[in-house]
Amino acid sequence: MQEPTYRVRALATGSTVTVYQAYRPEIGLAAVREGRFPAAWKRDRMTWIKPSFLWMMYRCGWGTKEGQETVLAVEITREGFAWALAHACLSHYEPGLHADQASWKRELKRSPARVQWDPERDLHLRPLPYRSLQLGLSGEAVRRYADEWTVSVTDVTPLARTVHAHVRAGELDAARALLPRESPYPADVSHLHR
């Protein structure tokens, strides 16, 4: 069966969804120690969360990019994730989905969350023909994410390094076996793509 172009895929339980972010160690390790984002973490700017482990690996270079050396798995409530999707706007203007560019800009300005769809990645971080969700949170959504939705914060940098080592060694089955089990997530995102 062919994978749909737009579908949320995530590691989820009955009550949580895991998203990924990468930070410099001072922020990332403090978040792991405290189980929540520390005071130094900026609640007044946009933060992007990604349900796709491999897309996060693409973005942070397996945790090697400067300022992204600590890769976090952040478990958030399903209710919080649903709230963010329900209050999200597509990050770019899409004719046929938006009445016109001006109305899209107004919606974008008042939305506390925005959605961007980027090509999902394979183990070599090459683009796949279907898209992966990125969810940008700002304003009220950032505060809710940090102070209400976050259930746990785990450092998955060692996992990233181990998977990457297997990929570099050509041991793709071993790498694949370690990946988080992301499956289709039941979310209506039809208002967030064309």
Side-chain angles (χ1 to χ4, degrees):
M1 184 174 108
Q2 186 172 345
E3 184 70 27
T5 302
Y6 301 99
R7 175 191 272 171
V8 177
R9 294 167 214 71
L11 174 62
T13 69
S15 59
T16 64
V17 178
T18 298
V19 295
Y20 301 94
Q21 295 191 287
Y23 291 101
R24 62 184 195 277
E26 307 83 74
I27 297 290
L29 296 178
V32 171
R33 265 192 319 275
E34 297 173 25
R36 61 190 316 259
F37 291 98
W41 187 77
K42 306 273 191 247
R43 283 169 169 74
D44 58 348
R45 39 194 268 210
M46 180 164 281
T47 191
W48 289 88
I49 58 176
K50 301 151 185 73
S52 166
F53 180 80
L54 285 175
W55 205 94
M56 185 70 251
M57 294 307 98
Y58 167 72
R59 178 72 181 86
C60 72
W62 298 100
T64 62
K65 290 185 180 176
E66 186 177 349
Q68 299 183 55
E69 300 91 348
T70 305
V71 184
L72 303 179
V74 182
E75 248 189 319
I76 63 172
T77 65
R78 284 177 83 120
E79 292 82 6
F81 190 67
W83 186 95
L85 289 174
H87 291 84
C89 174
L90 197 56
S91 64
H92 66 278
Y93 170 68
E94 189 69 51
L97 187 61
H98 304 106
D100 55 41
Q101 201 147 9
S103 64
W104 164 74
K105 282 184 180 178
R106 282 191 302 277
E107 184 183 350
L108 187 66
K109 197 172 217 171
R110 71 172 185 265
S111 294
R114 60 185 62 172
V115 162
Q116 188 168 304
W117 296 96
D118 295 296
E120 180 57 277
R121 301 289 161 160
D122 68 10
L123 280 167
H124 294 287
L125 306 184
R126 296 176 301 219
L128 292 168
Y130 49 91
R131 301 282 170 155
S132 186
L133 175 83
Q134 273 198 87
L135 193 53
L137 308 175
S138 64
E140 180 183 1
V142 171
R143 290 186 295 280
R144 286 176 178 240
Y145 170 66
D147 301 326
E148 297 172 25
W149 304 342
T150 298
V151 174
S152 71
V153 182
T154 306
D155 181 0
V156 292
T157 311
L159 173 63
R161 291 189 178 135
T162 302
V163 172
H164 189 209
H166 283 303
V167 171
R168 284 194 322 263
E171 301 161 351
L172 299 187
D173 288 341
R176 201 171 288 109
L178 295 173
L179 293 177
R181 301 280 177 238
E182 296 165 5
S183 22
Y185 185 82
D188 179 13
V189 291
S190 57
H191 68 292
L192 298 169
H193 64 81
R194 201 167 111 89

